[in-house]
Amino acid sequence: MTSPSSPTPLLPRRIRFAAAVCLVLAALTGFSALRETLELGHLGELRDEVSNLSRFSKDPDVLVAAHISEAQIAALEPMRESRSLVLGALSVACSFAFVAAGRLLRPGGLPLERMRRVLSVSAILAALLRTIDGAQWAVVARRIGPVMADHLSTLPAFQNPQAAAQLKAMLPGIAAAFAMGMTALIAGTFALIGQYFRSESVRQAITAQDGELAVEEED
């Protein structure tokens, strides 16, 4: 048996780096998805709070934020159930990816090959679900764009009618493009990680590591 002070053999640095990236990305994405799922469950209450703010507040900044929130809630309501399902599934997939990545970094006696398979599948599933989530959020961003444009058009830089018209025409598309860009970045990273851990080179490295751990336990 391995003594408590015996160092656990480490995976190659590139694999540990990929697992660490997945660990952080899964934690951030999963927490964000879970938080929004809970918010969707209280959408009616949020709508009432925002309505009270826009009705009673005199602060211009608060009113702008309230109007944007009202547009966001109005865009979310038709997709409330489907979005809750997608976000809930995304948070679960991220949880599996988080645990698997953590176990690859600190095995704790578990077979690394099993964790590799869990990580590859959950990361690819997270990429798919985050893509659907991003498509839904792009629709919401496009709905919020005109409201933001209305408020930005009151600024001195957009007092010109032509500049204000261009802003109102372009901002919804810019907001949707930004949402799609973030989706490509996050979902693409998940997909790359999932494919990386499915590669033969990673499988062989992890199989060899399992063999070393088994030899240590026998000793």
Side-chain angles (χ1 to χ4, degrees):
M1 295 294 291
T2 305
S3 64
S5 60
S6 298
T8 300
L10 294 175
L11 290 167
R13 182 176 298 178
R14 67 184 187 279
I15 297 178
R16 287 186 285 123
F17 176 76
V21 171
C22 184
L23 187 78
V24 174
L25 186 62
L28 295 176
T29 304
F31 177 78
S32 177
L34 181 60
R35 179 180 54 80
E36 189 175 347
T37 303
L38 296 175
E39 288 178 353
L40 287 172
H42 301 279
L43 208 57
E45 297 173 14
L46 290 174
R47 182 177 58 247
D48 293 340
E49 291 177 7
V50 170
S51 179
N52 289 334
L53 278 177
S54 61
R55 188 180 309 168
F56 300 112
S57 178
K58 302 299 182 182
D59 188 331
D61 293 335
V62 172
L63 290 175
V64 169
H67 291 159
I68 293 174
S69 295
E70 286 175 347
Q72 179 178 331
I73 291 170
L76 286 171
E77 282 182 330
M79 63 176 76
R80 179 176 178 175
E81 293 183 1
S82 61
R83 185 158 178 76
S84 295
L85 181 62
V86 170
L87 290 172
L90 177 58
S91 65
V92 172
C94 286
S95 297
F96 277 99
F98 178 84
V99 172
R103 283 304 185 183
L104 283 175
L105 294 170
R106 293 184 177 275
L110 292 176
L112 297 180
E113 172 60 18
R114 185 183 303 171
M115 293 298 101
R116 181 194 69 84
R117 292 197 298 266
V118 171
L119 177 55
S120 63
V121 172
S122 58
I124 291 174
L125 182 59
L128 175 61
L129 292 168
R130 182 60 180 82
T131 301
I132 299 172
D133 164 38
Q136 291 176 332
W137 187 249
V139 173
V140 175
R142 192 174 289 276
R143 291 282 300 273
I144 296 173
V147 180
M148 296 175 63
D150 287 340
H151 290 289
L152 290 175
S153 62
T154 62
L155 299 176
F158 299 104
Q159 288 301 305
N160 184 291
Q162 184 177 0
Q166 289 179 347
L167 178 67
K168 291 181 179 179
M170 294 176 59
L171 196 56
I174 292 173
F178 178 77
M180 292 169 63
M182 291 300 297
T183 297
L185 176 62
I186 298 172
T189 303
F190 270 125
L192 286 173
I193 290 172
Q195 290 295 335
Y196 177 69
F197 279 96
R198 290 183 64 188
S199 66
E200 185 63 20
S201 61
V202 172
R203 189 191 69 78
Q204 290 178 355
I206 288 179
T207 300
Q209 187 68 49
D210 276 336
E212 291 184 26
L213 290 173
V215 169
E216 279 196 350
E217 289 178 359
E218 290 176 0
D219 294 341

